[in-house]
Amino acid sequence: MMISIAKPLIGDEEKQAVLEVLDSGVIAQGPRVAAFEEAFAAMCGVKHAIATTSGTTALHTALLAHGIREGDEVITSSFTFIASANSVLFTGAKPVFVDIQPDTFNIDPALIEAAITTRAKAIMPVHLFGLPADMDAIRAIAEKHNLIVIEDACQSHGATFNGGRVGSFGTGCFSLYPTKNITSGEGGMITTDDEALAESCKVIRQHGMRRRYYHDELGFNFRMTDIHAAIGLAQLGKLEKFNAARRQNAAFLSEHLKGVGVPVEPEGCQHVYHQYTIRVPDGKRDALLEHLKQKGVGSGVYYPVPVHQQTYYTQELGYDQSLPVTEQAALEVLSLPVHPALSAGDLETIVDAVNSFFG
Ligand SMILES: *Cc1c(COP(=O)(O)O)cnc(C)c1O
């Protein structure tokens, strides 16, 4: 049997919670969504959380609520899932890509200021693979240039930077897709301390409607259902346990793997290992992936093509820039299973499979 790269852990709590919702007669957005929002805000240490249909719609909603529109620029990373940048495109604004740090895979704060133009409205750091970006440096730059900070925390539920949870440094956006650290099936969450912004997100989520059937602005149907919220709420109760297991699995891998670059955890950061991503230099990455498959170990390349090199971005949008650290990472990264469903035997198998490749 193949050891899979990701595996959602759904237990009796989730099943029971869904049945209760089905029996309650309130299936769409209702009391479970409200309870999930309250619990999620508490987890992040913020006043408000707003549930949406996905991480993508959380980002889209947050950008709109901050007034990002056509003609604006949002500074972000190209080494990410496409949704980070696409959510900017949905508003009519332009993603401006800044290169990453080679060790953390996160946006390099030292390169941000050079990318700020008069059109810049926001910085959107992505806490990639579960590791927080350097929020001290990013917030200092944002303050100096009067920019909004929107955190793409879709891979980093519960991660901390200097003791604060991601999603509490700017407007936080989370995904609840089944491969993420916790899931609601599909789903998203926005976090903020700003009451007016929270209200604005709720209006955008609900067809621009403040008063029933009076529509003052253009909105969407981005509402989460109570069925999804019931799953999410049960999962949220297990987040600390799941993240502790991910950290323990990562520590085992880092201790025993030979010949590859293992993930870093900078001082003050708590990594939650959405992915455990190694670097395989000298063009050997794809051969290692194939070798692992033969040994029954699933692995994944996140991400083989940086956003600025995706066909839509080059052909349709005319992106033509060089981001050498990002491009090198795309050639070398390989993510190994680290999820909480791994057994001690699975971890041994993963280590043996990687180490046997390097002889
Ligand atoms: C998963 C993810 C998203 C999008 O979330 P969905 O729930 O799949 O829409 C956005 N950004 C990053 C970095 C992600 O990993």
Side-chain angles (χ1 to χ4, degrees), residues 54-57 59 80-81 83-84 126 128 152 154-155 175-177 180 186-187 274 303:
S54 69
T56 306
T57 57
L59 288 163
T80 182
F81 180 56
S84 312
V126 182
L128 201 73
D152 182 339
C154 286
Q155 301 189 358
S175 166
L176 297 157
Y177 187 74
K180 306 297 162 103
E186 291 266 13
H274 167 62
Y303 296 91

Side-chain angles (χ1 to χ4, degrees), residues 33-294:
V33 168
F36 186 27
E37 289 173 336
E38 194 181 339
F40 203 96
M43 182 277 286
C44 287
V46 300
K47 293 199 187 106
H48 308 279
I50 303 92
T52 65
T53 49
S54 69
T56 306
T57 57
L59 288 163
H60 186 182
T61 302
L63 287 158
L64 289 175
H66 275 291
I68 307 290
R69 295 292 185 273
E70 190 174 348
D72 296 337
E73 292 180 353
V74 176
I75 293 165
T76 190
S77 163
S78 174
F79 195 57
T80 182
F81 180 56
I82 194 82
S84 312
N86 279 359
S87 63
V88 176
L89 295 181
F90 299 156
T91 70
K94 181 184 166 199
V96 172
F97 299 115
V98 166
D99 215 347
I100 56 171
Q101 298 169 319
D103 54 347
T104 66
F105 301 115
N106 284 327
I107 193 167
D108 188 341
L111 305 176
I112 291 177
E113 284 198 285
I116 297 175
T117 72
T118 52
R119 290 168 176 258
K121 282 281 159 58
I123 306 177
M124 185 202 282
V126 182
H127 306 303
L128 201 73
F129 302 142
L131 179 66
D134 184 346
M135 293 315 296
D136 274 351
I138 291 166
R139 286 220 295 193
I141 295 164
E143 228 159 89
K144 181 172 158 196
H145 297 272
N146 196 24
L147 300 175
I148 295 151
V149 176
I150 297 175
E151 302 174 66
D152 182 339
C154 286
Q155 301 189 358
S156 57
H157 319 64
T160 62
F161 178 85
N162 289 342
R165 298 277 197 174
V166 299
S168 69
F169 296 94
T171 301
C173 296
F174 295 81
S175 166
L176 297 157
Y177 187 74
T179 58
K180 306 297 162 103
N181 292 37
I182 54 169
T183 183
S184 61
E186 291 266 13
M189 198 67 84
I190 303 163
T191 53
T192 180
D193 274 327
D194 183 334
E195 189 173 350
L197 186 87
E199 187 54 33
S200 177
C201 288
K202 287 179 184 169
V203 171
I204 291 162
R205 175 177 69 178
Q206 174 102 316
H207 288 297
M209 186 167 84
R210 280 197 168 75
R211 210 172 120 204
R212 202 160 178 76
Y213 302 129
Y214 289 76
H215 306 274
D216 311 332
E217 58 185 278
L218 185 64
F220 299 85
N221 176 357
F222 287 160
R223 294 183 306 264
M224 180 182 279
T225 72
D226 259 26
I227 302 171
H228 293 91
I231 301 170
L233 195 51
Q235 289 266 298
L236 184 59
K238 304 175 182 178
L239 177 63
E240 298 302 326
K241 198 180 74 183
F242 286 168
N243 281 349
R246 285 177 181 274
R247 289 178 55 76
Q248 212 172 354
N249 293 344
F252 182 89
L253 293 173
S254 291
E255 190 184 342
H256 294 98
L257 290 176
K258 305 259 186 320
V260 296
V262 300
V264 298
E265 186 177 56
E267 176 102 38
C269 287
Q270 187 153 55
H271 200 318
V272 294
Y273 296 98
H274 167 62
Q275 297 293 352
Y276 181 91
T277 303
I278 60 172
R279 263 187 197 265
V280 191
D282 309 324
K284 289 192 190 143
R285 192 261 316 273
D286 294 345
L288 175 57
L289 186 149
E290 207 41 52
H291 172 84
L292 293 176
K293 201 193 273 178
Q294 300 302 321

